[in-house]
Amino acid sequence: MIATELVDTAWTSATYVTDALAPILAAEPAPSGFNTEGVVSFLASNVAPILLAVLGVIFIGRASKGEISKVLTSSAIAIVGLAFIAGAATLFFVGDYLINLIFE
């Protein structure tokens, strides 16, 4: 008699626990990661052209004042900066490739 009451109590408690855990176990998995492709495409399509236009206006303004050497120096610095930005964008793809290579 004691054993049946013990089993009944344990069964009821287990039912309560499984009912409480059911929403947690059936929940959708959380989104993983950060959308770096969306960020990079936004920067490439919206921010970069605006910055290049501002640089172009500055260069044209300096060139019209006769400061050709400053314009050439600034242009070279801008080209080196764009090369660094392109290198940083490339690191996204290289890093993604290395992570997929190591963890898969």
Side-chain angles (χ1 to χ4, degrees), residues 19-59:
D19 288 344
L21 290 178
I24 296 170
L25 297 175
E28 292 289 324
S32 61
F34 186 72
N35 185 9
T36 56
E37 293 177 11
V39 172
V40 171
S41 66
F42 172 77
L43 291 175
S45 64
N46 295 330
V47 176
I50 293 171
L51 291 177
L52 290 175
V54 169
L55 281 176
V57 169
I58 291 170
F59 293 162

Side-chain angles (χ1 to χ4, degrees), residues 71-98:
V71 170
L72 291 176
T73 303
S74 299
S75 298
I77 291 170
I79 290 171
V80 169
L82 289 174
F84 277 110
I85 291 171
T90 304
L91 288 178
F92 280 117
F93 301 111
V94 172
D96 186 41
Y97 172 75
L98 290 175

